[in-house]
Amino acid sequence: MPQRLDDDEIGRRLPDGWERNGDEIVRIYPFDDYLDGVTFATRVGEVADEEFHHPEIRIRYDEVEVRLTSHEAGGITDTDLRLANLFDDERR
């Protein structure tokens, strides 16, 4: 089981564009077109499924919100930060 990271480690390693919200990290990705957001959410879901670590994804008209946490560890782990970077790669 992954180990929960301490506050300092999370602060040092949190990718640009992501924010901490309690025991989660959150990013909102803006989109000009609804279907572009849906396509992105699908790609995020595919990456997450390959990694067997599933985020909460909210699709809105012009944005997609992604939330990551490791419930089994009780907070944010290396896995969450790694997936945040992988999701950012999908947006580029």
Side-chain angles (χ1 to χ4, degrees):
M1 175 170 71
Q3 296 293 320
R4 187 176 67 214
L5 300 175
D6 65 37
D7 292 342
D8 290 338
E9 177 108 10
I10 294 165
R12 280 193 308 276
R13 296 181 49 206
L14 191 65
D16 289 341
W18 287 82
E19 296 180 4
R20 184 170 182 186
N21 184 353
D23 288 337
E24 299 178 316
I25 57 173
V26 181
R27 179 159 187 185
I28 296 175
Y29 296 90
F31 290 91
D32 292 330
D33 181 83
Y34 175 75
L35 290 179
D36 289 343
V38 171
T39 299
F40 172 73
T42 299
R43 289 197 319 260
V44 164
E46 290 168 350
V47 169
D49 203 48
E50 288 172 8
E51 299 290 326
F52 201 69
H53 192 73
H54 304 98
E56 181 178 320
I57 304 171
R58 293 183 183 157
I59 302 170
R60 298 186 189 98
Y61 176 74
D62 60 352
E63 63 188 23
V64 174
E65 180 184 80
V66 179
R67 293 178 168 269
L68 284 161
T69 191
S70 295
H71 298 287
E72 68 280 0
I76 301 162
T77 67
D78 183 61
T79 303
D80 299 304
L81 297 176
R82 186 169 51 80
L83 260 68
N85 283 304
L86 291 174
F87 297 162
D88 286 350
D89 289 346
E90 290 298 318
R91 182 65 168 116
R92 292 185 188 127

